[in-house]
Amino acid sequence: QVLLVQSGADVKKPGASVRVSCKASGYTFTDSGISWVRQAPGQELEWLGWISPYNGNTKYAQIVEGRVTMTTETSTNTAYMELRSLRSDDTAVYYCARDRGVIRGFDSWGQGTLVTVSS
Amino acid sequence: QSVLTQPPSASGTPGQRVTISCSGSTSNIGSNTVNWYQQLPGTAPKVLIYSNKQRPSGVPDRISGSKSGTSASLAISGLQSEDEADYYCATWDDSLSAWVFGGGTKLTVL
């Protein structure tokens, strides 16, 4: 079955960077995109961007454009999301999800990674 | 302020039917299909409905979705205690070139 396993929780100071990983298994990694979604405490889901493991193409949401970089490593079936210049309002659970496109949406999700930004 | 509008809460008793609405605009729901996600407390979201009304395997047929114009709805019949969760609608927005979510609806089974 499709499985997305993310890296563990992290605590960062304001201004630092964080990198979250997402290891995929159970399907051909290059056949589907990976989207990243975050959820601040008690808040709604917020899409951060998408990457194609097939060709590395990316699309970032305006809310993080300029501070985020999404990459993939096809040799290990792993996707990464790096967020820079962290602020306190970046504190959230970050999820990766297999993105099947406009019709099927996000059909599998990672377990989530809590990133806490605090001085 | 979310791009898609959902009621913040909904409730029902076991066995009842509840519906959750999701309102958008011509650039999102009016142009693209809608997906619904269920998020149980402390867990990752899970897809319940995709392409307006399609159920992934394993989702019971007491759960259904529909779309009309710039609005969509999720219906849950035969309400059960395990349905208590947060529910989110989502779709692609052509103007923003981004996935957008509703603010979420907390369903309580009384």
Side-chain angles (χ1 to χ4, degrees):
Chain A
Q1 79 285 17
V2 175
L3 200 57
L4 300 174
V5 178
Q6 299 182 221
S7 47
D10 209 342
V11 179
K12 296 292 184 183
K13 293 193 183 305
S17 299
V18 69
R19 190 172 85 150
V20 180
S21 68
C22 169
K23 184 170 176 60
S25 61
Y27 73 101
T28 302
F29 186 54
T30 50
D31 279 355
S32 301
I34 294 286
S35 268
W36 290 88
V37 176
R38 73 180 178 185
Q39 186 172 38
Q43 301 300 308
E44 67 266 31
L45 302 167
E46 184 174 52
W47 181 75
L48 301 180
W50 164 91
I51 183 166
S52 164
Y54 175 73
N55 56 19
N57 285 352
T58 55
K59 171 70 179 171
Y60 300 138
Q62 274 192 322
I63 51 167
V64 290
E65 181 113 50
R67 294 198 298 136
V68 71
T69 301
M70 295 176 187
T71 57
T72 59
E73 191 174 81
T74 54
S75 61
T76 59
N77 290 351
T78 304
Y80 299 93
M81 190 274 309
E82 181 186 43
L83 189 60
R84 301 176 293 278
S85 302
L86 289 169
R87 309 183 292 245
S88 57
D89 62 357
D90 290 317
T91 294
V93 175
Y94 289 74
Y95 295 101
C96 62
R98 186 170 74 158
D99 187 333
R100 303 292 300 281
V102 176
I103 301 297
R104 294 195 68 111
F106 311 135
D107 68 348
S108 292
W109 295 66
Q111 83 276 20
T113 297
L114 174 62
V115 174
T116 302
V117 182
S118 173
S119 54
Chain B
Q1 188 88 4
S2 303
V3 173
L4 305 180
T5 301
Q6 296 181 234
S9 63
S11 63
T13 56
Q16 268 192 329
R17 182 178 188 270
V18 296
T19 61
I20 297 171
S21 62
C22 175
S23 176
S25 67
T26 53
S27 67
N28 43 65
I29 293 179
S31 306
N32 297 294
T33 60
V34 176
N35 306 314
W36 288 90
Y37 301 92
Q38 176 194 56
Q39 187 176 34
L40 297 168
T43 69
K46 163 194 160 185
V47 61
L48 276 188
I49 294 286
Y50 67 92
S51 193
N52 301 330
K53 60 182 182 181
Q54 305 301 319
R55 283 186 305 275
S57 59
V59 175
D61 60 7
R62 61 187 185 84
I63 292 173
S64 62
S66 64
K67 178 187 129 172
S68 178
T70 58
S71 293
S73 290
L74 175 73
I76 303 175
S77 58
L79 202 59
Q80 300 175 5
S81 57
E82 62 244 41
D83 296 325
E84 196 159 279
D86 293 326
Y87 293 84
Y88 294 91
C89 57
T91 188
W92 180 259
D93 189 295
D94 291 338
S95 295
L96 298 174
S97 290
W99 282 103
V100 291
F101 288 92
T105 298
K106 184 174 185 62
L107 175 62
T108 301
V109 181
L110 302 169

